[in-house]
Amino acid sequence: VLSEQNSSGQPGTVTLTEVDGKTLVSIKLDTPSGVHQPAHIHAGACPTPGTVIYPLTNVVDGLSETVLEVDLATIRSEFPLVVNVHKSETEASVYVSCGDLK
């Protein structure tokens, strides 16, 4: 579950699925149309994530899919991790949605 941050009104979900030894990261988020919102997997936990571990494809029109070149077991071994979505490329310091990976 991705919970809204900073009164953004942008909750959503993130799903990690292993496909052929890689990890597919799918994000579905309530977002404004046409806005590119950067997303990342960070170390740490919500609401204050740490260092970016894996950059993800920007969320556009509420959707993002990224294939990471690591298997799901590797990602789990790096917990605690968090998925964080930023307001826009120019306002990356404003978080709009965050979810701890468990």
Side-chain angles (χ1 to χ4, degrees):
V1 174
L2 294 170
S3 299
E4 74 172 271
Q5 301 243 290
N6 297 307
S7 301
S8 69
Q10 295 183 13
T13 59
V14 59
T15 306
L16 278 67
T17 308
E18 186 160 336
V19 179
D20 298 326
K22 300 176 183 178
T23 301
L24 172 64
V25 181
S26 300
I27 297 174
K28 292 182 181 177
L29 193 65
D30 292 339
T31 63
S33 180
V35 176
H36 290 246
Q37 296 181 292
H40 307 95
I41 295 176
H42 294 255
C46 295
T48 54
T51 304
V52 172
I53 305 297
Y54 300 103
L56 302 174
T57 303
N58 285 357
V59 177
V60 179
D61 296 330
L63 301 173
S64 168
E65 286 196 342
T66 305
V67 176
L68 301 177
E69 298 292 324
V70 297
D71 62 18
L72 200 48
T74 299
I75 292 173
R76 285 186 178 132
S77 74
E78 297 173 314
F79 283 0
L81 295 173
V82 59
V83 172
N84 194 48
V85 182
H86 306 263
K87 185 173 182 179
S88 67
E89 293 174 354
T90 58
E91 294 179 274
S93 64
V94 179
Y95 301 152
V96 295
S97 199
C98 191
D100 296 326
L101 295 179
K102 300 176 182 181

